[in-house]
Amino acid sequence: MDEVPEQKRWISLGLLFGGHTPPTEAMPLTFPASSPPVPPEAPAPYTTEELEDEETMRAAGYAPKVRFPGARSMPWPSECITCGQPRRPSLQDVERGMRCQHVWGRNSPTFRR
């Protein structure tokens, strides 16, 4: 009678080198002990350059909503001081003379009928 060769079982290389446990083994559910909450770090103080950049934005008619994004070419979430609309000009664009186009609408404080 012919003998049937035993089938080979494939093993993941990750398991072979100490990776994740195979799905047939039960993994114990353990949760880390509760630790007291860590207070958030205080934000770093504004640098002179950041203050100057914010002043440039305000002089151009924008009120920055967040700190300087870190690069002159990155959009800086702001609000137009005149029309109150949210805008995202970059500091580089403002320095080149870009200003809000003031799209006046019914929600504008200066809307007249």
Side-chain angles (χ1 to χ4, degrees), residues 56-72:
T56 301
M57 291 291 281
R58 289 187 191 287
Y62 295 104
K65 294 293 179 190
V66 296
R67 285 183 83 155
F68 178 65
R72 298 181 104 62

Side-chain angles (χ1 to χ4, degrees), residues 14-15 52 73:
L15 291 174
E52 290 172 0
S73 60

Side-chain angles (χ1 to χ4, degrees), residues 16 23 25 27 33-34 41 48 56 63:
L16 196 62
E25 293 180 22
M27 291 182 54
S34 295
E41 285 187 31
T48 306
T56 301

